[in-house]
Amino acid sequence: GDSVTQMEGPVTLSEEAFLTINCTYTATGYPSLFWYVQYPGEGLQLLLKATKADDKGSNKGFEATYRKETTSFHLEKGSVQVSDSAVYFCALLYNNNDMRFGAGTRLTVKP
Amino acid sequence: GAGVSQSPSNKVTEKGKDVELRCDPISGHTALYWYRQRLGQGLEFLIYFQGNSAPDKSGLPSDRFSAERTGESVSTLTIQRTQQEDSAVYLCASSLVSGGYEQYFGPGTRLTVT
């Protein structure tokens, strides 16, 4: 069945370091892909999304490109900040109403 | 405006007891979703409501789980005869319509079954 696999955490980086969180998916057809973020004590919120191959989603300095050839949607940021510390979830929408989420990757950014 | 709210934020219950979890979606959102998040794991889809259509219950793990929604407003998730493996954070989300629209999540209810 359709599923998402993302890199296990936790990930610990120093401020201004480069971030990559890997996400790959298995799906029939062409799902929409998402990154959600969960800040401490808060609910999940949409970070960015891409709805078709080669689309790039971007928000708050984060980017992810929908790569059909590698079935990937890796999250990147050039220079992380302490305020980026959170849990990041990769997800795919594989029919009209069901999203499949990865296990989440906890990021801690140290000053 | 107000986001998705859930209550209670925390619930501790004894094994075998029934619990009700409540979700208030964003006003005007026709789609409502329930997910379960076990410790260290991803979100597990439970059930989906869209307007007045029959809900998609395909994710409910057993017949001890049920959910209701009144029109396009409040939803309650009921777990009967709770078991320790039911311990998790239960998340509710709503969206304007289904199919690719952003889901807005509530803060969740942390359920602990002792």
Side-chain angles (χ1 to χ4, degrees):
Chain A
D2 293 18
S3 65
V4 170
T5 303
Q6 62 181 104
M7 66 184 286
E8 293 185 15
V11 175
T12 302
L13 296 173
S14 298
E15 207 164 22
E16 300 183 4
F18 184 86
L19 168 71
T20 300
I21 301 178
N22 289 340
C23 171
T24 57
Y25 67 90
T26 303
T28 54
Y30 305 99
S32 295
L33 301 173
F34 303 80
W35 277 100
Y36 276 80
V37 58
Q38 187 174 29
Y39 296 105
E42 299 183 16
L44 275 77
Q45 53 188 276
L46 180 66
L47 180 60
L48 54 85
K49 69 177 183 181
T51 56
K52 61 183 188 297
D54 299 325
D55 268 3
K56 177 185 283 188
S58 61
N59 186 26
K60 299 181 181 180
F62 291 88
E63 292 184 342
T65 302
Y66 189 158
R67 302 282 189 201
K68 178 169 168 285
E69 63 276 13
T70 55
T71 62
S72 65
F73 193 55
H74 304 323
L75 182 68
E76 297 182 335
K77 186 174 186 182
S79 176
V80 293
Q81 304 300 312
V82 172
S83 57
D84 294 326
S85 297
V87 182
Y88 293 82
F89 293 89
C90 186
L92 67 80
L93 185 72
Y94 79 101
N95 64 27
N96 275 345
N97 59 29
D98 195 350
M99 293 189 74
R100 295 295 171 97
F101 287 83
T105 302
R106 182 176 298 279
L107 170 67
T108 301
V109 180
K110 298 190 171 182
Chain B
V4 177
S5 61
Q6 293 185 245
S7 60
S9 55
N10 281 284
K11 176 71 176 178
V12 180
T13 191
E14 292 180 352
K15 178 182 172 181
K17 295 285 179 69
D18 297 352
V19 295
E20 276 193 359
L21 312 179
R22 176 187 169 107
C23 172
D24 282 89
I26 293 172
S27 177
H29 281 194
T30 59
L32 185 147
Y33 309 76
W34 283 98
Y35 296 90
R36 178 169 68 180
Q37 185 180 19
R38 289 196 168 116
L39 186 64
Q41 298 186 22
L43 275 69
E44 176 186 0
F45 167 76
L46 297 178
I47 188 169
Y48 157 75
F49 296 89
Q50 171 57 51
N52 294 319
S53 302
D56 177 354
K57 303 180 180 180
S58 59
L60 294 179
S62 77
D63 59 7
R64 295 186 295 106
F65 288 72
S66 62
E68 299 292 332
R69 187 181 186 195
T70 305
E72 294 183 354
S73 61
V74 172
S75 175
T76 56
L77 176 69
T78 301
I79 309 173
Q80 296 178 308
R81 305 180 303 281
T82 52
Q83 304 294 314
Q84 288 187 331
E85 62 262 28
D86 299 335
S87 297
V89 176
Y90 290 82
L91 292 166
C92 175
S94 70
S95 68
L96 273 172
V97 292
S98 64
Y101 286 82
E102 177 180 354
Q103 294 185 19
Y104 293 81
F105 282 81
T109 293
R110 182 176 297 279
L111 175 65
T112 303
V113 182
T114 60

